[in-house]
Amino acid sequence: GIQVEQSPPDLILQEGANSTLRCNFSDSVNNLQWFHQNPWGQLINLFYIPSGTKQNGRLSATTVATERYSLLYISSSQTTDSGVYFCAVVVTTDSWGKLQFGAGTQVVVTP
Amino acid sequence: DAGVTQSPTHLIKTRGQQVTLRCSPKSGHDTVSWYQQALGQGPQFIFQYYEEEERQRGNFPDRFSGHQFPNYSSELNVNALLLGDSALYLCASTRTGLGYGYTFGSGTRLTVV
């Protein structure tokens, strides 16, 4: 099956710093999403980005589908950015899709 | 516009018991999926429902079963609970067809003692 690898596994940032999270996937995909899981467990959808670049405030994402990777940029990080960031791709079987998650990147932003 | 709602938020059960978790999808969504997330890991796909039928299933035993109702809401049932079933159970909804993302609920944290 498709493999989804995220790097780095852990990231410690000082407030105000910028960072880049990477997601590599082993096969072509129709759908890729980035999620932020807060300390209470909720998975918050950040971007639906099968290709191209999107921006939302201090966050932006780029997916290069032909090279099978996606990047999530966090600029001017804040303590509220702490949590686990997951990349997930849709794996389709008989026209039905399911999300295949990477192992996540644990981000800690210190004051 | 309500998002995905799950109930209950927390649950403690004894080994061998049965549990039912509930999910209401986001307005406009017709497909519901369930995921299990063990501590420190990414969510793992359990199964997916559309038009009240199970459409796809992950690598989970038959102790895990589900149901979808005509209003698109869904239940996840787990029988004969094991200690290893302790996890965060997440419900996700989407709209059938390409080009639609998934929205997750806040999850139900199940502890089996």
Side-chain angles (χ1 to χ4, degrees):
Chain A
I2 191 168
Q3 303 299 314
V4 182
E5 296 181 352
Q6 292 187 242
S7 60
D10 300 280
L11 194 57
I12 299 176
L13 301 168
Q14 195 157 19
E15 203 167 23
N18 303 326
S19 63
T20 301
L21 282 59
R22 187 176 180 100
C23 172
N24 293 331
F25 40 96
S26 60
D27 205 346
S28 58
V29 298
N30 292 319
N31 180 346
L32 184 146
Q33 285 185 256
W34 282 97
F35 296 93
H36 175 217
Q37 189 165 41
N38 64 25
W40 298 271
Q42 171 129 37
L43 274 172
I44 299 165
N45 182 31
L46 298 177
F47 295 102
Y48 165 73
I49 184 166
S51 64
T53 297
K54 291 186 177 180
Q55 181 156 7
N56 184 3
R58 297 180 296 102
L59 301 180
S60 63
T62 295
T63 297
V64 184
T66 53
E67 296 187 20
R68 299 178 186 171
Y69 73 88
S70 183
L71 302 174
L72 178 69
Y73 306 95
I74 305 174
S75 64
S76 304
S77 59
Q78 300 177 358
T79 56
T80 52
D81 295 331
S82 296
V84 183
Y85 289 80
F86 287 103
C87 163
V89 301
V90 173
V91 177
T92 302
T93 305
D94 296 329
S95 302
W96 297 100
K98 65 179 181 183
L99 286 171
Q100 178 74 40
F101 283 82
T105 293
Q106 173 83 56
V107 173
V108 175
V109 181
T110 61
Chain B
D1 180 19
V4 179
T5 58
Q6 291 187 243
S7 63
T9 54
H10 294 84
L11 206 50
I12 299 175
K13 288 287 189 178
T14 302
R15 190 172 46 183
Q17 285 187 316
Q18 178 263 346
V19 68
T20 298
L21 311 182
R22 296 176 175 82
C23 171
S24 292
K26 181 178 179 179
S27 177
H29 287 185
D30 55 11
T31 302
V32 174
S33 302
W34 289 90
Y35 291 79
Q36 180 195 65
Q37 186 178 20
L39 203 60
Q41 298 182 19
Q44 297 293 315
F45 175 76
I46 302 175
F47 43 52
Q48 178 186 65
Y49 278 84
Y50 171 70
E51 289 190 337
E52 302 178 51
E53 288 190 19
E54 183 181 291
R55 300 294 178 169
Q56 196 174 185
R57 189 179 182 90
N59 189 23
F60 279 81
D62 293 344
R63 297 187 297 108
F64 289 76
S65 63
H67 190 77
Q68 185 180 34
F69 299 94
N71 66 353
Y72 308 121
S73 66
S74 177
E75 289 181 349
L76 164 65
N77 302 292
V78 187
N79 294 323
L81 284 167
L82 304 174
L83 296 180
D85 295 331
S86 296
L88 179 67
Y89 288 85
L90 295 160
C91 173
S93 71
T94 188
R95 186 174 166 183
T96 303
L98 289 177
Y100 297 101
Y102 291 76
T103 301
F104 280 81
S106 301
T108 294
R109 193 165 297 278
L110 173 65
T111 302
V112 183
V113 298

